Structures are given as structure tokens and as C-alpha cells.
Amino acid sequence: MDLKEKLVSSFLAFENHVDIDCQIHDIRTEAIKTFETEGFPSKKDEAWKYTSLNSILKQDYSVFPKQENAIEYSDVKKYFIHDIDTYNIVFIDGKFASHLSQTTHDGIDVCLMSSALNKPKYRLIIENYFNKVATKDSLTSLNTAFAQEGAYIHIPKNKLVNKPIQILHFSTGSEVALMQQPRNLIVVDENSHVQIIERHQSLSNNPVLTNSVTEIFGNKRAIIDYYKIQNDNVNASLIDNTFVNQKRESHVSVHTFSFGGKLTRNNLNFYQNGEHMDSTLNGVTIIGDKQHVDHNTLVHHIEPNCESHQDYKGIFNDSATGVFNGKVIVNKEAQKTNAFQSNNNILLSDKATINSKPQLEIFADDVKCSHGCTIGQLDDSAMFYLRSRGIPEKEAKALLMYAFANNVLESVKIPELKKRINGLIANKLGVNIGFDL
Amino acid sequence: MLKINNLHASVEEKSILKGINLEVKAGEVHAIMGPNGSGKSTLASVIAGKEEYEVTAGNILLENEDIEELAAEERAHKGVFLSFQYPVEIPGVSVTNFIKTAINANRKAKGLEDMPANEMLKLIRSKSEMLEIDRKFLSRSLNQGFSGGEKKRNEIFQMAMLEPKLAILDETDSGLDIDALRIVANGVNKLKSKDNAVILITHYQRLLDYIKPDFVHVLYNGKIVKSGTAALAHELEEKGYDWIKEEVNA
Amino acid sequence: MSKYTEDDLREELKTKEYEYGFYTDIESDTFPIGLNEDIVRAISKKKDEPEWMTQWRLEAFKVWKEMKEPDWANVHYTKPDFQAIAYYSAPTSVDPNKTLDDVDPDLLAMYKKLGISVDEQKKMNNIAMDIVVDSVSVATTFKKTLAEKGIIFMPISEAIQEHPELVKKYLGTIVPTKDNFYAALNSAVFSDGSFCYIPKGVKCPMELSTYFRINQAGTGQFERTLVIADEGSYVSYLEGCTAPSRDENQLHAAVVELIALDDAEIKYSTVQNWYPGNAEGKGGVYNFVTKRGLCEKNAKISWTQVETGSAVTWKYPSCVLKGDNSVGEFYSIAVTNNFQQADTGTKMIHLGKNTKSTIISKGISAGKSQNSYRGLVQVSSRAENARNFSQCDSLLMGNECGAHTFPYIEAKNKTAQIEHEATTSKIGEDQIFYCNQRGIDTEKAIALIVNGFSKDVLNKLPMEFAVEAQKLLEISLEGSVG
């Protein structure tokens, strides 16, 4: 039985198991139909021209993990930003791990999707926001059909959340191959500010496929900084579908750091429903071996006087493949839009590939839109300069690569996180130097 | 030459000029001074016919003709020239191509044929020499990447080419070093004659050391509140504008 | 030649209608509408083609029948009914032994209207000219002068007869019959076009030019151009297109193949001004064209195009940079107004070492039109030190049009250096006021600004074409500002 059939036929069992009377029953039913009709995307779809899921879909994934696998904090501490106080929402093989988590209902809700779907007090939020910005494409629909667990974060008006929220998904390898479909909902109301860090981590070498959907709502004047750390092990693949709906004067930024994993596809979509806001999409990708990272972004400017900034840097070694497919749409009404998109890449190996497709679709005349894309190498004369000062080749290379990615790193607003990312980069580049220059 | 009667003008419903009266005769140089935001640049734009500005009362007579209904280019054909405070860039259009187009458009409005190419060349050469403009400069895209001084010199070059009856120089001295100021002022002085007139709009008295005004007016809060001779400019330089404000507000 | 001024232009532009929109009543020999194997055979027979050519067409037709019309481009139109088109139409008075004196006076009068009086062109501009009306080549000038240098410039129908070895060797090698839907169609039914061969080491002393015109109603035009520049040779080739104003959509599906052998250079310039349809979007030419060139070692191909016409344009002049050190260039201005749609760009395929490509694309959208740049820069794993620079700028006029950029960049070699930049902007009100203040009226100000915007590309055109192109830019944008 192929994966699609398996998923479709599991659906009834799944719904019976969770709760057939659930508020979102109709949405799930509709979604599985969509998935059944469309199936997994193939390279024939323009949006998937450069990324094939074939090899990943061949695995016989278990869709519902059977056994619980307890892990201790000490086993996984290194995956937390542990040197500062944070809220934590932690899942093990898709199930909430209360002993590793620190949730809250004190003025804000930092808790679980499963309880939000079941408890009446969340009913209104679910009704107003759940599946409201997520698109109806096949993979998102697949997630929607099986939407059950994930992070639920609701920040009411005028709250400055005083510590970052970490969302961590661990997979233990208790199954031969595991498919997970976490579903996150984040609603930030007027004038509130929150910082969120999301990470997926496999603890074994067994194949894992995660098809995640996150819906983010930034209401009027909300400020949201969202960080995605993608440093999973070589048999873990991630399809991350993130949808951001912004209201007037809000500022939302999503930073994606992709260093690990077998195949990573980021579908990051911003919809600007209001004036005077800005959206930031940043990314640093450093990969090697046969890794594949695909950034597929959309910024849809719907109303006037808004800005968007995209800055993606990629460094590709060995037989790695990088894809950047960024689209900016400016509606006819969205006058005075400023939209900037930049994608810079360095190829370090003859077998590495980069495919870049930055697109602009503009329907308004009074706008400033630009995109730039470069593919190049490290600057030889800079290399020579560093080496002539006694810095060994490997370190010199690492320094230049770090410098190349630096402006994106500078935009990380949590110092401990920045330090951690710097560490990951040093590790990835195989050097032992601190980059806190 | 120019007669402005009780001119009121507003932009986006905001009233900026509140009753200007001014008469400029042929052969005269008038300086209009005033603190920031007093309406100096607005007055220049209204005379030149910028559409965003709405004349709500009064009129502007150029050689006894009311020009209110005339489009900006028609006023230009009648000899109004504005040296812009912030000249815009037009990428890909060379200084030469631009001035050629402008000259021929003005000639056409007068029912004349295009200026023959060799005559045009001669004219460009003599005027650019007068303003110490390098030949290379003429092939650059209009105002693109020009320094502040180059932009202003280019404005005066265009003025020299077009030989207007009424030249309005809006803050032509801002951003100029002393050498550039001297060149620009020299250019203006050479272009002055008994048949044309010049209005200098400036915040400082500096330019007036080089171009001697016959009259100096102080614009404040949309009105000319004081008029006098060159001596008034010196007084303003020494005492600033506060005493004028006090006088008006008293 | 004398410098063209903006005012010359103004004078010539008193009429705002498409000025090439006349129909000349000349007797035509037109096939019945529809397409099947018999029609393909009949076209071949009409041309008295050798058997290999007939077979080649039939194979293409077989392939075409199996293919689907592509729909990935950013254009929307009613798909043509391929059975409602006449695939062959020729002015009847064409005699195979024609000289200019024998040409139908009506035809000559038509060329005059097009501003391309054959006589005058011959004398004044030193341009050798081939004219294709509907589907048939009607006059090739300067044949003798060219022949002295060994240059072959003739209708492709004649080349099939006179130089079968060359045609056989190269036809369909750059754009294979099965390359795409329209190329396959063209291969099956093309009735004429130009053929050009420049021998080794010869620099063609004059611009070679072809003028295409669709005259007859209900016909499609399917011309085929093949240019071969042998080792170390050089040629500059110009192509112009017009069609009468008609309410129905007419189909133009051409194929152009360029072969630049070692050290050769081909410069190919197009001013495309097919009828764009009226202001309400009715009628106009569907321009679905496949153009591609192959560069061998140290060779260079440069495409320059000014696209102002056609209701729908689908066109990607491309370079396959096969030889080491070869160079590909693409300079394009695409103007769309009213309801026009253009999806145009280029492909630069870097296969050889040290290959270089440059792409400059200027899109100007006005009215309710949609203007897309679509380009591919591909660096294969063997293409050491490949370089590409791309610049795509869009200018929007008014708030009902769209400008789109779809660049595809694929690099598989670490020594590749690729830079792509794109911007979108509009004509500023302050720019227009500045021009107004200097006495330049708004319409002329816009022409001036648009010409400035397009300058990098206009500069690449041969002088005669640059003048026409500027003029076309202005006609195309008339009435686009309120």
C-alpha cells in the first residue's frame, strides 16, 4: 500500500480515535477529500519543479506511533535554549511530554492544540482562526485532516511575553519509520509581542517525515519574532508549511536556519491584510552531503503602504542541492509597497546545485520592488588576505562564510539563540572558532 | 512682467499662501527670504503651475495675462523658468537630449522650426563654457548621480539655454560650495538683462552677495510681511527671523 | 543619416491608429482551411520539394498531433482552432523567375506604405532585403552583390532546391521538430522564410533584412528562418513584422534557428509590430515563436528585440553556449498596452567553459496589459567559469496593468558567477512636472522617459532600426496616460 492510500484509509480510524464530534470534524473531512484528489505533489507541479518527494515517500511510515518512549531531560537538554528562562511545549513522537514542558494559562495561553480543540473556552478562537490562513493545497490539507496535536499559543491584547516560547518535537526512533503531522496555531492580539523558537529533532537514525503546519495571526500592532532551527539528523525530512496573516501595523519576522536533515522544504507564506506593516523573511542555509533544502516563499501584498524584506543566504557543499523559490505578489490596491527580495548563494563543490527562482508579480504602479540573486564563490583575494595573516585555510573559509551570512544572523534578537546558532554554524563548517566577532 | 494679486493657495486642503502681493518689473532682481515652512517653495511651484497646488483666491498676471488656466508647459513657453530646489533624475535621458527636446518644444510653441543641429551644438558649447561645465557631463543621464553642485549648475545651464523672461531660482545656493556658488552666480548675472527678471528664493543672505537684488521681501506664514532693499537681507542675516515673527505676531 | 528628433516623430504620429493596419487587395492563392496530412503534402508539393523534405514535414506533423498546446506561460487567450486556419496563402503574381520589375505594382505600393520601398531600401540603406508576405517570399534584393562574397541569402524554399545539403544538414538541429507544440506545427507547415549562409571568414558587408507581413484574412503565418555563420564569419540580421488590423486573431508561429560556428558572430535584431488588437482587446496576432541559436567555440550570438505588437506574445530567443568561450546576449524591450499580453525572455544554456551571457530586459506595461519576463540561466556541471549578468526592469504606467518577473536560475558548477537583478518602478509625477516646466508636454515627457528607460537596449539596435523602434515605443504607448 503506498503512503497516500495508507493515509487516506487511516483517516476514519483516526477520527474515531480522537473525537468524531470535534468542532473541526467537517474541516478534517473536507481536507482528506482534497488530499485524496490531489495526492502528493510531483515535479510536474511548478512549485515542486526542483524538489522531488519520491524517495522519501517510499518509506513505510507508521502514522500512529504505538508505544510511548520516555526520554529524560538530561538526554535532550542540549536541544533546548536552556541558559535562559523559557516556556516550553515539548512533544515526543507526536505526543505531549508534560515532564519536559513548561506551559501557562497565566494571562496568556501557551498550551496544546489537543486541549484547545476539546475545551469549550477555546472554542471561539478555534472557530475564528483554525485553518483560516492555511491554504488548501494537498500537503496542508493532509495535515489539516490529521490535525490533532501541536502548540496552541494565544497572546491577548497588550501583553509583552517576557520569555521566549520553545516548541520542540522529538522523535525517538521507537518506530522503524515515523510520519508526524504537528499542527500549531499562534494568535497574537493587538499590541502584544512574542518570540517563538521551533525545532524538530530526531533522536535516532530511523527515517522520520514531518509534515507540519503552523498558522500565525499577527493582529493590529502585534510583533512576532519566529525562529526555526532545522538541524535534524540525516534521515529526517521536514515539510514545513507556515502561514502568516498580518493585520495593520504589525511586524512579523520568520527566520529559518537550515543546517541539517535529509530533505527540508519550507513553504512560508505571508498575507498582508492591512496597511503600514512589515514582514521579514530571513534564512541561512548551510548544507553538504546529499542534503536538500528548498525555501518556497510567498509574500502577498494586499493593501497599501506595506513593506516586505526577504534575505536568504545559502552555502552548498558536496552533493547538496539548494532551492530558492520566492514569490512577491503586489495587488492593484497595494500602492506604495516596498518589497525587497535577495537570494545569495555560494557553491563550494562541483557536485552541489542551486536552483533559484525569485519572482515578482506586480499589479500596482506606485511601488518599489526589487529582487537580486547571486551565485558565486568565496572571494579569492579575501581568502589570501586572511591566510597571509596566518589564519589557516579552513578557518579563513569559515570566517568568510560566516561573514557572508552575518547580516541575517544579526537579525536574531535573542542573544542566547544567536550564540547557539553561531555554535551550530561553526560545527557545520567543522571549525572551532567563536564567531562573536 | 509679473504681477501677483492677493494670491491664496493650498495643497491637500491645507492653506499655505494667504494673500501674496508682488510686482516684478523687467530688469529687476527680487529676493524672497523667509524661515523654513513660510511658503517660499510653494510660491515658486504655484507660479510654475504645479497641479497639486490649488489657487483658492487671487491671480497671477504674466505680462498682463492671467496664467491660472495655463498648463505648466504653456507657462514655460511664455518664458517662466523654475530652477528646482531638488531637480529630479531621469535615467537614460542625457543632459543634451533633454535640453534639445526642451528647446525644440519651446520653439515649436512659438511656431518656429527645430533648431538646426549645428546651431544647437554651438549654443550648448558656449553656454556650457560659461558655466564651466565639462563636455562629459552633457552625456550623463539627467541629474542621475549628480552631486548637489552639479545639479544646481545643470539647472542654471538649462536656464542659459532657454533664456527665460522670468527666472525663479528656488534655493539655488543650498548645497553649493563657494566655487560653485560663484560660477552659478556669475552665470545668472550674465543672463540678466533689462528685458528679463529674476526671483531668488533663499533662506540665507550668502547668494545675495553675488547676485545683487533690487528688492528683498520677507515671506512669513504665507504672506509677504516686509519688503525693502538689499539692506534688509543684511539685517536678517544679523538678527535672524525671530524679530520679524515677533513683529508680525505682536 | 540625419539624427532623428522627437519632433520628427511627433509629426509622423498624427494618427493614433495602428498605421500598418491596411489590407492590400492582391490576388492570392489560398489553401482551404484546416490541417491534415494532405495539406502538409500539398504545401510540400506546391513548393516542389524533394522527398526528404516532405517526409521531414510529415514526421513533424505526426509529432504535433500528439502534442498539447503549452499553458504554463502567464497569458490567457482563447486557444486558436487549428482547423480554422488556412495554412498556405501566396500572392498569385509571384513568379519564380521574378525580378523587382516583375513584382505586382500593388505589392510594391504596399511596401511603400510599410516604409520599405524595395528600391529605396536598396539604394539608400545598403540593406539586402527579403520580404515575406503571408507565407511566401516575394522579393530578395542584392542577391548578386552578396553572391560575389559567397553569401547565400534567399527564401528558404529556394534554398531547399539550390542548397539542399546545407538545409538538410542544419534544419531542425537547433529547434528539433518535437521541441514544442508550435515548433512542431511550424515544421509541418512552414511555407517560406529566409535562409542565410555566410562562408568561412566572411564579414557580411551589409545588414540582411527580412520583412514579414500577414496580409490575407484567416491565414496563419509560419515562416522558418535558418542562419548559418561559418567559422570566423559575421552577419547582422534584421527582422520586421506587420499585419493588417483585423477583428479575428491571426496566428503567427515562426521558428528561427541560428548556427554560429567557431569564432563566428551573429547579431539578430527584431522589431515586432504585429497588429496588437484594438483598444478593447479585439483581434490581434498570436505570436508564438521559437528562436534559438547555437554557439560553437568562441562564437557569439546576440539577440535584440523590440516587441510592441501582437495580442499575445510567447517568445524566448535563446542561446546554447556549447563551445568554450562562447558568448550569448539578449537585449529586449517589450511594450504592452491596452489588452496585450507578453510572456517573453530568454534561455542561456551554459555548456562550454568560460561561457558568458548577458540579459537586459526592459518591460513597459500600460493600459490593461500584462507583461512578463521569463528567463532561464542554466550552468551545467562542465561549464567552468561561466558568467551571467541579468537585469530585468519593469515600468508600470497606470494601475490596471501588471509586470511580472520569472527568472529561473540553475547552477551546477561551483565556479559559476551569476547575478540577477530586477526592479519595478513607475514614471514619477515629479519627473513629468520637471519636463513640463521646461516646456515639454506630458505625452512627450513620457516618450522621453520611456526612451531613457529603454536606452540600454535601443543602443544595441542598428541605427535604422533604432529610429523605427523609438517611434514604435511612442505609438504603442499613446493614449496610455490619462
Side-chain angles (χ1 to χ4, degrees):
Chain A
M1 192 161 34
D2 77 0
L3 186 58
K4 179 186 163 188
E5 283 171 48
K6 186 172 182 172
L7 287 161
V8 172
S9 58
S10 313
F11 179 70
L12 280 182
F14 162 78
E15 269 229 305
N16 280 328
H17 173 69
V18 294
D19 176 12
I20 194 90
D21 297 323
C22 178
Q23 187 183 356
I24 62 165
H25 167 70
D26 291 344
I27 296 176
R28 282 185 186 141
T29 314
E30 197 55 42
I32 195 73
K33 273 190 215 151
T34 307
F35 174 70
E36 196 176 356
T37 320
E38 295 190 11
F40 286 102
S42 77
K43 286 187 109 170
K44 280 185 194 143
D45 297 296
E46 180 65 27
W48 291 83
K49 186 177 158 77
Y50 296 117
T51 297
S52 168
L53 293 176
N54 284 349
S55 64
I56 286 164
L57 299 179
K58 274 187 204 128
Q59 294 289 342
D60 187 22
Y61 296 104
S62 68
V63 184
F64 312 115
K66 287 164 214 82
Q67 35 174 307
E68 308 250 332
N69 205 335
I71 48 173
E72 292 308 314
Y73 179 61
S74 58
D75 300 334
V76 291
K77 184 182 171 196
K78 61 178 178 179
Y79 301 118
F80 286 76
I81 307 296
H82 52 72
D83 30 16
I84 50 168
D85 198 10
T86 58
Y87 294 110
N88 301 318
I89 314 173
V90 182
F91 303 91
I92 298 172
D93 294 335
K95 295 223 164 60
F96 178 58
S98 60
H99 67 295
L100 298 176
S101 299
Q102 194 203 340
T103 57
T104 183
H105 295 289
D106 184 13
I108 59 175
D109 289 309
V110 177
C111 59
L112 302 182
M113 182 61 99
S114 55
S115 52
L117 288 175
N118 293 325
K119 292 184 185 158
K121 74 173 204 177
Y122 302 110
R123 197 175 177 92
L124 202 62
I125 295 285
I126 295 293
E127 199 174 296
N128 287 337
Y129 293 102
F130 182 84
N131 212 38
K132 286 295 186 289
V133 64
T135 54
K136 311 296 178 268
D137 63 280
S138 66
L139 287 167
T140 306
S141 298
L142 175 62
N143 176 289
T144 303
F146 290 93
Q148 158 67 6
E149 193 55 288
Y152 173 89
I153 298 170
H154 177 215
I155 314 294
K157 241 171 131 164
N158 299 323
K159 296 275 179 199
L160 194 135
V161 181
N162 56 359
K163 46 189 183 179
I165 301 168
Q166 299 194 67
I167 305 170
L168 288 116
H169 295 270
F170 293 110
S171 49
T172 58
S174 64
E175 304 286 337
V176 177
L178 175 69
M179 178 165 183
Q180 310 187 92
Q181 303 212 61
R183 177 77 173 214
N184 306 313
L185 176 63
I186 292 146
V187 179
V188 181
D189 284 339
E190 186 174 337
N191 210 25
S192 288
H193 179 187
V194 64
Q195 296 174 319
I196 298 168
I197 303 163
E198 181 192 341
R199 181 165 187 166
H200 299 262
Q201 190 65 46
S202 167
L203 303 173
S204 78
N205 277 328
N206 288 353
V208 178
L209 171 59
T210 304
N211 178 39
S212 161
V213 170
T214 304
E215 293 184 276
I216 300 172
F217 294 85
N219 287 322
K220 184 177 164 188
R221 300 190 67 183
I223 302 175
I224 305 172
D225 296 316
Y226 203 107
Y227 303 93
K228 292 173 184 284
I229 313 293
Q230 301 174 340
N231 191 37
D232 217 339
N233 77 34
V234 291
N235 287 318
S237 293
L238 171 67
I239 301 163
D240 180 313
N241 306 283
T242 298
F243 303 91
V244 183
N245 187 20
Q246 283 186 251
K247 290 284 169 61
R248 57 176 301 179
E249 294 165 63
S250 62
H251 301 271
V252 179
S253 62
V254 174
H255 311 253
T256 309
F257 298 94
S258 312
F259 308 132
K262 179 185 169 91
L263 180 150
T264 306
R265 161 75 173 220
N266 288 295
N267 294 317
L268 178 56
N269 305 280
F270 275 76
Y271 303 90
Q272 295 189 330
N273 285 298
E275 295 194 39
H276 302 288
M277 67 176 77
D278 73 50
S279 310
T280 303
L281 299 79
N282 284 341
V284 176
T285 304
I286 305 175
I287 52 172
D289 296 324
K290 288 184 173 164
Q291 289 181 292
H292 183 110
V293 170
D294 179 348
H295 291 287
N296 193 77
T297 69
L298 166 72
V299 177
H300 196 156
H301 290 269
I302 299 163
E303 296 195 35
N305 300 308
C306 294
E307 291 189 18
S308 68
H309 301 267
Q310 297 189 54
D311 191 350
Y312 281 83
K313 309 273 191 200
I315 298 173
F316 305 91
N317 206 349
D318 307 324
S319 300
T321 304
V323 181
F324 176 76
N325 192 346
K327 186 187 268 190
V328 174
I329 302 176
V330 180
N331 275 18
K332 183 169 149 180
E333 295 74 21
Q335 294 291 8
K336 309 271 180 205
T337 290
N338 285 340
F340 305 102
Q341 187 187 55
S342 148
N343 172 229
N344 306 102
N345 303 286
I346 289 181
L347 287 177
L348 295 176
S349 138
D350 281 339
K351 293 194 187 109
T353 301
I354 170 77
N355 297 309
S356 181
K357 196 182 149 203
Q359 307 168 65
L360 299 174
E361 292 197 51
I362 318 258
F363 296 92
D365 64 342
D366 191 6
V367 297
K368 276 194 201 119
C369 297
S370 69
H371 68 222
C373 166
T374 61
I375 297 171
Q377 300 78 44
L378 295 176
D379 182 351
D380 283 343
S381 53
M383 273 296 285
F384 177 73
Y385 183 84
L386 290 177
R387 293 173 73 183
S388 73
R389 292 294 178 270
I391 301 169
E393 183 176 2
K394 197 172 179 184
E395 276 76 11
K397 257 189 182 165
L399 272 174
L400 289 180
M401 286 188 254
Y402 182 80
F404 169 75
N406 191 44
N407 59 328
V408 174
L409 296 166
E410 283 304 311
S411 65
V412 175
K413 294 193 192 94
I414 306 168
E416 291 76 14
L417 178 64
K418 190 156 138 193
K419 211 163 128 194
R420 184 63 63 87
I421 293 167
N422 285 343
L424 292 176
I425 292 178
N427 195 24
K428 190 75 193 175
L429 299 176
V431 291
N432 186 19
I433 41 178
F435 284 118
D436 294 317
L437 307 170
Chain B
M1 169 88 52
L2 179 75
K3 198 157 191 283
I4 298 176
N5 300 310
N6 188 33
L7 182 70
H8 287 68
S10 60
V11 62
E12 286 168 359
E13 317 253 305
K14 191 177 168 232
S15 167
I16 296 182
L17 301 183
K18 301 164 183 169
I20 302 260
N21 291 295
L22 178 68
E23 183 167 6
V24 178
K25 295 202 176 78
E28 291 178 351
V29 176
H30 289 241
I32 296 179
M33 305 183 70
N36 290 326
S38 56
K40 300 191 300 285
S41 286
T42 300
L43 177 61
S45 297
V46 170
I47 297 172
K50 196 166 189 180
E51 275 173 17
E52 289 100 290
Y53 296 93
E54 199 194 342
V55 173
T56 49
N59 59 20
I60 304 171
L61 302 178
L62 185 70
E63 299 192 305
N64 297 320
E65 182 193 357
D66 188 337
I67 57 172
E68 167 152 22
E69 293 301 317
L70 297 184
E73 66 268 24
E74 291 168 316
R75 299 183 196 202
H77 298 158
K78 293 198 177 297
V80 175
F81 179 92
L82 173 60
S83 165
F84 285 72
Q85 185 178 2
Y86 304 108
V88 298
E89 298 179 359
I90 306 186
V93 176
S94 68
V95 172
T96 310
N97 190 10
F98 181 76
I99 196 65
K100 185 186 80 183
T101 309
I103 285 207
N104 285 333
N106 281 292
R107 288 174 68 97
K108 194 171 177 189
K110 294 185 180 71
L112 298 171
E113 293 288 306
D114 279 0
M115 184 180 280
N118 54 351
E119 202 178 310
M120 181 84 74
L121 266 177
K122 235 191 266 168
L123 191 64
I124 289 175
R125 200 174 299 145
S126 81
K127 302 293 184 186
S128 57
E129 270 164 20
M130 177 178 97
L131 290 157
E132 300 176 35
I133 288 173
D134 190 51
R135 290 296 289 276
K136 263 186 241 145
F137 177 85
L138 297 171
S139 63
R140 285 169 63 186
S141 283
L142 192 68
N143 292 322
Q144 203 178 25
F146 285 17
S147 69
E150 284 172 330
K151 281 184 182 166
K152 296 299 167 68
R153 214 184 292 186
N154 181 36
E155 293 293 288
I156 302 305
F157 168 68
Q158 292 180 26
M159 171 181 160
M161 292 291 291
L162 291 165
E163 298 181 334
K165 280 192 199 130
L166 174 68
I168 306 161
L169 311 185
D170 189 3
E171 303 273 358
T172 295
D173 50 332
S174 70
L176 290 189
D177 63 34
I178 196 73
D179 288 333
L181 183 67
R182 183 184 46 77
I183 294 167
V184 164
N186 265 344
V188 174
N189 285 329
K190 279 186 198 154
L191 295 169
K192 251 176 22 187
S193 79
K194 63 177 175 33
D195 300 319
N196 61 25
V198 178
I199 298 175
L200 302 168
I201 291 177
T202 180
H203 189 75
Y204 303 103
Q205 185 266 340
R206 194 171 74 140
L207 179 67
L208 307 183
D209 288 342
Y210 294 90
I211 308 171
K212 297 283 177 221
D214 300 303
F215 300 96
V216 173
H217 310 278
V218 180
L219 190 62
Y220 176 62
N221 201 13
K223 278 185 188 164
I224 288 177
V225 293
K226 206 171 183 69
S227 295
T229 59
L232 177 58
H234 285 283
E235 202 176 345
L236 286 167
E237 184 78 2
E238 269 166 41
K239 304 206 298 206
Y241 288 103
D242 287 347
W243 64 278
I244 300 259
K245 292 183 192 173
E246 279 160 26
E247 241 181 66
V248 174
N249 295 332
Chain C
M1 64 176 281
S2 73
K3 229 9 195 169
Y4 181 80
T5 69
E6 305 287 331
D7 280 331
D8 291 337
L9 199 155
R10 174 71 36 193
E11 267 311 300
E12 290 170 67
L13 296 176
K14 288 279 160 72
T15 59
K16 297 207 175 196
E17 295 295 310
Y18 179 73
E19 67 170 323
Y20 303 104
F22 57 88
Y23 162 73
T24 309
D25 191 12
I26 38 181
E27 229 179 291
S28 292
D29 173 12
T30 303
F31 273 25
I33 59 165
L35 184 56
N36 53 44
E37 228 182 88
D38 292 340
I39 292 281
V40 176
R41 278 183 197 283
I43 292 170
S44 191
K45 186 152 182 252
K46 194 93 196 166
K47 297 276 169 189
D48 207 12
E49 285 175 355
E51 183 57 22
W52 61 268
M53 195 63 226
T54 317
Q55 286 310 319
W56 194 84
R57 287 176 181 277
L58 287 170
E59 251 162 62
F61 178 66
K62 220 162 52 190
V63 171
W64 176 75
K65 276 196 303 190
E66 302 302 315
M67 292 175 104
K68 268 208 203 117
E69 208 174 344
D71 54 9
W72 42 260
N74 189 24
V75 292
H76 305 278
Y77 58 94
T78 324
K79 299 243 184 312
D81 178 354
F82 292 95
Q83 296 305 336
I85 295 170
Y87 286 85
Y88 183 83
S89 171
T92 42
S93 46
V94 177
D95 186 299
N97 302 316
K98 72 204 169 203
T99 68
L100 273 182
D101 299 334
D102 298 332
V103 173
D104 185 333
D106 281 353
L107 263 181
L108 286 180
M110 179 171 103
Y111 305 149
K112 278 226 175 77
K113 266 195 227 174
L114 292 170
I116 49 159
S117 143
V118 182
D119 286 346
E120 266 176 58
Q121 289 286 347
K122 215 162 85 169
K123 285 188 204 112
M124 296 178 60
N125 288 336
N126 204 30
I127 295 174
M129 189 114 187
D130 188 12
I131 297 168
V132 177
V133 173
D134 290 339
S135 308
V136 172
S137 178
V138 291
T140 306
T141 61
F142 265 112
K143 217 170 183 174
K144 220 181 258 166
T145 326
L146 293 170
E148 283 162 13
K149 293 235 168 205
I151 295 168
I152 306 167
F153 180 46
M154 56 173 58
I156 198 160
S157 54
E158 282 177 46
I160 291 169
Q161 307 294 343
E162 292 179 29
H163 303 280
E165 71 299 338
L166 280 172
V167 177
K168 216 168 162 179
K169 184 169 175 192
Y170 291 107
L171 187 71
T173 57
I174 313 301
V175 180
T177 46
K178 57 182 73 139
D179 188 80
N180 66 68
F181 183 83
Y182 306 117
L185 178 64
N186 174 285
S187 302
V189 304
F190 79 85
S191 34
D192 219 331
S194 290
F195 174 86
C196 171
Y197 171 80
I198 317 292
K200 272 186 196 174
V202 172
K203 308 263 176 261
C204 185
M206 58 189 72
E207 312 271 356
L208 299 185
S209 171
T210 302
Y211 220 99
F212 295 106
R213 178 165 175 84
I214 302 177
N215 194 46
Q216 205 62 26
T219 58
Q221 177 145 323
F222 307 92
E223 81 270 354
R224 184 102 193 178
T225 302
L226 180 58
V227 179
I228 303 150
D230 211 331
E231 291 173 20
S233 67
Y234 166 85
V235 62
S236 169
Y237 193 97
L238 319 176
E239 173 190 76
C241 327
T242 62
S245 308
R246 292 191 185 284
D247 283 348
E248 88 251 34
N249 295 107
Q250 283 181 295
L251 177 63
H252 172 250
V255 172
V256 176
E257 295 177 281
L258 309 185
I259 295 121
L261 297 176
D262 292 0
D263 303 300
E265 180 177 349
I266 302 175
K267 201 171 146 64
Y268 197 102
S269 314
T270 304
V271 172
Q272 185 266 109
N273 185 30
W274 297 116
Y275 179 54
N278 69 9
E280 280 76 48
K282 199 165 165 50
V285 171
Y286 291 159
N287 189 35
F288 303 143
V289 174
T290 308
K291 292 183 167 181
R292 196 174 303 151
L294 175 78
C295 286
E296 295 285 0
K297 233 193 272 168
N298 305 322
K300 178 175 174 184
I301 288 179
S302 181
W303 297 99
T304 306
Q305 61 173 24
V306 177
E307 301 279 320
T308 61
S310 296
V312 181
T313 297
W314 179 99
K315 180 180 172 189
Y316 315 91
S318 304
C319 297
V320 180
L321 303 171
K322 180 177 163 227
D324 293 350
N325 313 314
S326 59
V327 177
E329 294 176 339
F330 174 75
Y331 302 102
S332 170
I333 302 170
V335 183
T336 53
N337 196 356
N338 298 321
F339 285 87
Q340 282 179 273
Q341 305 174 64
D343 195 299
T344 185
T346 184
K347 292 183 199 173
M348 292 292 173
I349 313 292
H350 292 256
L351 301 175
K353 295 191 175 82
N354 305 315
T355 45
K356 252 193 234 165
S357 63
T358 305
I359 299 170
I360 308 282
S361 165
K362 305 277 180 178
I364 299 153
S365 335
K368 295 187 162 111
S369 70
Q370 299 297 328
N371 199 330
S372 304
Y373 167 81
R374 185 183 304 275
L376 168 68
V377 174
Q378 193 177 62
V379 177
S380 81
S381 57
R382 286 164 296 129
E384 296 286 316
N385 292 314
R387 299 281 177 270
N388 163 267
F389 174 77
S390 306
Q391 169 89 44
C392 304
D393 297 322
S394 305
L395 192 66
L396 286 142
M397 299 170 67
N399 201 19
E400 288 179 280
C401 52
H404 316 283
T405 323
F406 306 100
Y408 294 68
I409 299 154
E410 304 174 6
K412 286 190 176 7
N413 188 298
K414 69 168 178 177
T415 58
Q417 274 189 23
I418 299 174
E419 274 177 81
H420 173 96
E421 285 170 32
T423 64
T424 301
S425 55
K426 71 165 203 164
I427 295 179
E429 269 155 36
D430 48 348
Q431 286 177 319
I432 292 182
F433 178 64
Y434 188 87
C435 294
N436 287 163
Q437 208 299 308
R438 297 298 184 258
I440 302 166
D441 66 36
T442 301
E443 204 151 315
K444 188 173 288 180
I446 286 168
L448 196 65
I449 294 165
V450 167
N451 269 319
F453 173 78
S454 315
K455 193 178 173 188
D456 294 346
V457 177
L458 288 172
N459 281 348
K460 299 287 170 188
L461 286 169
M463 196 55 181
E464 299 79 6
F465 255 33
V467 171
E468 182 172 4
Q470 276 190 26
K471 189 161 65 170
L472 279 177
L473 286 186
E474 188 156 342
I475 301 176
S476 307
L477 291 170
E478 267 183 0
S480 60
V481 266

